[in-house]
């Protein structure tokens, strides 16, 4: 499990050059919302993308029986695919074609590629860092210092009370992890799992799919907040992150900098970032 102590501040680097910059800034400052994007859209194709190995139908059947799963597909999913069927008809369809059995697993289970694609598409993240003054981070994620960095105070108690996800530390590894289909099921069915070994499989799957990157990215000192939802990438409220400061990059134009200061007003302190005259360090002016 990911049990690292959460830093007192976490930072998110963003560009000022996008056409949605003002909308995003207002979402963060005024509504405590963050834009979540799918793990599939990350800039490194190896990010959140372990090696996958298909489990056998027999292995899946054993797992479903062990965790007490009775149907391969929920009523909610069937209702989306068959909106014109009545509830009783959906129940009969679920029992006939999607009850957990060897034959139904063999005929109804999606291919591993389809399964993985659905899981990765629905997993959305925001990426944070432990530092605001990393020149490489400003160059890569702050539009070449023509961006801003939001500083957040993690509020874990609020997140737990409201059942929202908290920031989790990214793992940087030398070797690409491997996941089986059964590992993915253990993650998706974590709420019904009581067996410690199966729960551990689920935790490992979550880490590999959401929190694992190649070691070359270690300089980012990254943390992530993950949520799952269907449809398009979107803004979501994040009670675990309280905005406490905003840093304006060294190359941000005066007009954009003034807009940031206007929107933040007296709600959030704003700092201009510049270059130290004696070193390669970035400083608050």
């Amino acid at each position: 499990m990911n049990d690292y102590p959460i830093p007192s501040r976490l930072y998110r680097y963003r560009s000022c050059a996008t056409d949605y910059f003002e909308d995003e800034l207002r979402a963060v400052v005024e509504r405590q919302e963050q834009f979540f994007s799918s793990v599939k859209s990350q800039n490194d194709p190896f990010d959140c993308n372990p090696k996958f190995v298909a489990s056998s139908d027999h292995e899946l059947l054993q797992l479903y029986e062990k965790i007490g799963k009775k149907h391969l597909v929920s009523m909610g999913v069937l209702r989306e695919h068959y909106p014109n069927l009545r509830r009783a008809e959906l129940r009969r369809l679920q029992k006939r074609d999607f009850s957990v059995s060897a034959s139904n697993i063999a005929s109804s289970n999606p291919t591993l590629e389809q399964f993985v694609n659905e899981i990765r598409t629905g997993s959305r993240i925001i990426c944070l860092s432990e530092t605001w003054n990393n020149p490489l981070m400003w160059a890569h994620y702050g539009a070449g210092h023509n961006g801003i960095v939001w500083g957040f105070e993690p509020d874990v108690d609020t997140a737990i009370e409201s059942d929202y996800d908290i920031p989790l530390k990214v793992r940087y590894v030398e070797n690409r992890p491997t996941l089986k289909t059964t590992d993915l099921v253990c993650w998706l069915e974590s709420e019904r799992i009581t067996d410690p070994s199966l729960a551990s499989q689920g935790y490992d799957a979550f880490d590999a799919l959401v929190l694992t990157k190649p070691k070359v990215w270690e300089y980012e000192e990254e943390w992530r907040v993950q949520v799952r939802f269907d449809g398009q990438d979107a803004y979501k409220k994040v009670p675990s992150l309280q905005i406490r400061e905003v840093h304006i990059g060294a190359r941000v134009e005066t007009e954009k900098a003034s807009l940031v200061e206007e929107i933040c007003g007296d709600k959030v302190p704003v700092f201009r970032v510049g270059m130290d005259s004696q070193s390669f360090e970035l400083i608050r002016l």
Side-chain angles (χ1 to χ4, degrees), residues 264-283:
C264 291
D266 58 3
K267 297 185 288 292
V268 184
V270 177
F271 302 95
R272 301 286 184 107
V273 175
M275 297 178 292
D276 183 75
S277 61
Q278 304 298 321
S279 70
F280 287 126
E281 293 186 5
L282 295 171
I283 60 172

Side-chain angles (χ1 to χ4, degrees), residues 32-34 36 126 164-165 225 236-241:
Q32 204 179 352
E33 294 179 346
Q34 299 278 347
F36 283 82
I126 59 172
Y164 278 84
D165 290 285
V225 177
K236 295 290 182 182
K237 194 173 181 65
V238 188
S240 62
L241 296 177

Side-chain angles (χ1 to χ4, degrees), residues 165-196:
D165 290 285
I166 62 174
L168 298 171
K169 188 175 178 64
V170 167
R171 296 187 311 143
Y172 301 99
V173 298
E174 294 281 2
N175 300 312
R176 193 175 180 184
T178 299
L179 289 183
K180 299 184 68 175
T181 316
T182 47
D183 300 323
L184 301 178
V185 172
C186 285
W187 173 34
L188 295 178
E189 300 290 340
S190 59
E191 291 185 359
R192 69 167 72 231
I193 288 177
T194 57
D195 184 291

